[in-house]
Amino acid sequence: MQNQRKPKVTISEIMDKKKNNQKITMLTSYDYSISRICNEADLDIVLIGDSAATVMLGCDSTREIGMDEMLTFCKGVANGITRPLIVGDMPFGSYQTGKSDSISNAIKFLRCGCDAVKLEGGREVVDIIKNLTSFGIPVMGHIGLKPQTTPLYHGYSSQGKTAEEAVKLLSEAKAVEEAGVFSIVLEKVTSEVSSVITQVVKVPIIGIGCGPHVDGQVLVIHDMLGLYKDIEPKFVKRYLNLSGQIFDAIKEYENEVKTGKFPQEEHTYHMREEEFAKLEKMLRRV
Ligand code: KIV
């Protein structure tokens, strides 16, 4: 575990990456086992996304997950991470109800081992962001396609296709920047508009489905590992076909159990011979 010796990534290191023209790497994770691998791989940021609702719980929408479930995922992730910055995604309903709820819920994330929280929204969340940051809680913004609400109005289509939409997105980015976020997730926005926002805004822009001209990239880890063969958004690159590999392994196991090929001698524990002889004697007496 080489990375356990490296110091924790800080908020200023993330912000400096933009100034130094270094790309930021971020993936989602929801449990201990995958987080240990993310830690070793030296990612900059691990996000416990509210996408946990869909990829971990099989829900139709991220609106269906609440604080308790998110905090359980955070605990597993935090136990597996020593180096990357850990960001907890504030679920639908955990910050919209006001400053006091948002503060107490953000503190729950920090107590579970997160270093920062993320929340979706533009102008409507400016006061919430200002309040959280005034108490020293680092906040990551999230604009463009906002999965908690956008699909209700516009489905999952890409954003920023007209000049008017572009201006609106830019003003949202400026608003959350001025409110104090340390970085912004930009989701499913045309490459042209993403590039403009990245040039105008000073904090790092981390894109998902926004093309290459942003300060960093984030993907849902299940998508890039190919854990769901039926879901394939255009913006995802599949680095593995894990669902296929897991399926093959399960079938091989099934077959080996049925045919007696598993377990073998190397998987088996034994009694000492004299102990077994003693047992045989005892059994005979019985
Ligand atoms: O919940 C999530 O996984 C996210 C990423 C798509 C950025 O918000």
Side-chain angles (χ1 to χ4, degrees), residues 151-216:
L152 293 170
Y153 298 92
H154 309 288
Y156 285 93
S157 60
S158 58
Q159 316 278 300
K161 285 187 289 232
T162 63
E164 290 74 22
E165 259 179 55
V167 171
K168 194 163 168 248
L169 281 166
L170 188 55
S171 90
E172 286 196 331
K174 288 299 295 172
V176 294
E177 175 183 34
E178 278 156 24
V181 297
F182 70 92
S183 63
I184 301 172
V185 164
L186 189 64
E187 181 160 350
K188 225 172 172 184
V189 172
T190 56
S191 178
E192 295 75 8
V193 177
S194 302
S195 170
V196 171
I197 293 175
T198 303
Q199 287 168 57
V200 172
V201 171
K202 289 189 187 66
V203 295
I205 301 293
I206 303 173
I208 172 162
C210 293
H213 308 297
V214 286
D215 302 306

Side-chain angles (χ1 to χ4, degrees), residues 263-281:
Q264 295 282 308
E265 184 56 27
E266 71 260 35
H267 311 119
T268 308
Y269 301 101
H270 291 289
M271 248 178 161
R272 277 184 293 118
E273 262 178 42
E274 58 275 24
E275 200 59 34
F276 186 58
K278 192 171 148 192
L279 172 67
E280 280 187 317
K281 232 190 245 170

Side-chain angles (χ1 to χ4, degrees), residues 225-238:
L225 294 180
L227 259 164
Y228 289 107
K229 59 175 188 230
D230 43 339
I231 305 169
E232 202 165 12
K234 174 185 162 83
F235 61 81
V236 171
K237 177 171 176 186
R238 273 202 187 158

Side-chain angles (χ1 to χ4, degrees), residues 52-66:
T54 53
V55 297
M56 297 298 287
L57 302 178
C59 301
D60 289 334
S61 149
T62 57
R63 282 189 303 281
E64 292 178 47
I65 199 164

Side-chain angles (χ1 to χ4, degrees), residues 26 28 30 47 49-51 89 118 142 185 187 208 218 220:
M26 168 162 148
T28 65
Y30 315 95
L47 168 71
D50 63 354
S51 50
D89 210 358
K118 171 168 91 57
H142 184 151
V185 164
E187 181 160 350
I208 172 162
V218 55
V220 169

